[in-house]
Amino acid sequence: MKKLHFNAHLLIGGLIMVLLIILFLDMYFFSLEKMPALPDNPLYKNSQTPVEDRITDLMSYMTLDEKIGQMALVEKGSVSDLEDVNTYAFGAILSGSGSKPEKNTFEGWRMMVQEFTSTSRASRLGIPILYGVDAIHGHSNVPGATLFPHSIGLGASGNESLVYEVAQATGKELIATGITWSYSPTLDMPEDIRWGRTYESFSDDPVLVGRLGVAYVQGMHSATGQDSSKVLATAKHYLGLGGMQWNTSSSKDYFIDQGVTPPDETKLRTTYLAPFTEVISAGVHTVMVGLNSWGSTKLAAERYLLTDLLKSELGFEGFLVSDWYGVYEIPGSDYRAAITAIRAGVDMVMLPFDYKPFIYNVRNAVLRKEIPIERIDDAVRRILRVKFTMGLFDTMQIPQPLSDEDLFEHKTLARQAVRESLVLLKDPQGLLPLHSNSSTTIRITGSAADNIGRQAGAWTIEWQGVDGNWIPGATSILQGLRGVAGPNVTFEYSQSGTYDETSPVDIGIAIVGERPYAEGWGDNTNPSLSDEDVRAIANLQKVCKRIIVILVTGRPLLITDAIDDWDAVVVAWLPGSEGAGVADVLYGVQPFTGSLPLPWPAHIGQLPIVDGKTKDGTSPLFPRYFGLR
Ligand code: GLC
């Protein structure tokens, strides 16, 4: 028996040894791959050369490893050695939301991004990296940056030129930190408001989403800065993310996010694809693949949608980037998943945690002819086409700080965007606009009255947002009211609505809403007001004759049973840093012009609402495009 054991150990040890030798030889021989000699002034560095010729020339010097490196989008926190940016020739670096420099300031970002960018330019072929963030409502990782209303508020404005300007201003604030890529706009169309990403969308109407998506892409691409390239917009998430079904999430922590979109060919053409067709015609260069599934297939594995439809039929010539850990959620080993995704049409793979196995696996897959080299060359050509087209090779990308004037201009624009995003749902007594020409006292309550973190929503400094009132350079709604109403009006504030009941006043304003949330963490079985806010409203009603309710929310909330007790109702969505924009409209500086970008359900049984039709056939509380003027 003992002898048998000994032989088994010997066999296992021998097998491990053989595997290690194969691995070493693999790495050793491959690293010897011939590096084509580089002339002093290669054609690809000449900005007068046609782009396709520049690409062909550059690729003739690239090793297989350098090509695979360009297909890697690496999260900055996982870069263990800055030299790896050079060694592996990464195509891009991203900061996931909240992945910030030690000094989270414009200057801190500029220095961090510059370190990565200059390292990539010092590489053998000098291919600059793209640096990407989720600037979905401004350069919102940075305290002090302009925080625009989240997309649902821009959808309520319906204003293309406003969205164009918002995207352009966002692009300028990105350029001031050397960032060249934003993962925005979102073109998802939410059918079920229980989804935690409803607020990232403009609307559930593909026509409006297409119009605003085009405006956003063109606005961001128009942003300029001294000696800077274009800033890339990204059409996301391809596709059908808003059509996922409740309780189908692939994540045990979520309900609908990363869930299943029924593979409905009619909806594919009439709804989901329409905005992408629009933005491709408008010149978008990158498309991000969603984390949802199309029927039983993860989007990153769906060759028909990624290649046959988007690239062949629609003629998309930019590149497809996968989302977060999406490639590795494809069933099978990491090796097999990478092969499946790249063969399906993913050109650049987002690698939030580890890049070396990806490069090793893809290299081996190419050597074993499990990924045709033609597919690698196509992906790299697409990536380089975008980099050449946006001017990344032809500018030194030394970012200049934003001027105070520019920042002031952007905040003024953001305040205008807030004004246009507000929707008046109810005001039968004509309480609004309020008047400030006579001395009066107004009582304020609610969790979102003096809480900038709440009015900004998530994707603000941290992925899940910052529930508090400390964001520098921003104004809460209460602060805005005090600034706009003037000296005749006294605002009393009690978050809980606790006041002296013996001296009622005429008007009370309850500014209530949701705590910040991002992605599946915002999936909610019953999106409604918190108990704290319900109590605050009840308390306010004891000490005010009439109340105005302001909803600070990322989505329609279930208010059917309470709205009859409210005298006026305004939806402010997630307005961002410029809370004074809400006060402007409440005091008539500007009239209400906003309308609901998606239907407002009366109860859960109506969800999902598809193209305005509720699941149970009853009428929503308010239809899409409702808004009193
Ligand atoms: C996230 C989101 C995507 C975002 C990406 C990078 O998981 O799904 O919208 O752009 O990761 O932060």
Side-chain angles (χ1 to χ4, degrees), residues 94 96-97 134 183 197 200 236-237 288 291 323-324 350 459 519:
L94 87 138
S97 185
D134 292 277
Y183 308 125
R197 306 196 75 168
E200 294 183 54
K236 75 180 187 182
H237 304 82
M288 184 183 289
L291 292 171
D323 184 4
W324 206 243
M350 192 181 292
W459 303 90
E519 303 194 45

Side-chain angles (χ1 to χ4, degrees), residues 160 166 257 274 480 574 576:
E160 283 157 272
V166 165
D257 192 41
L574 297 171

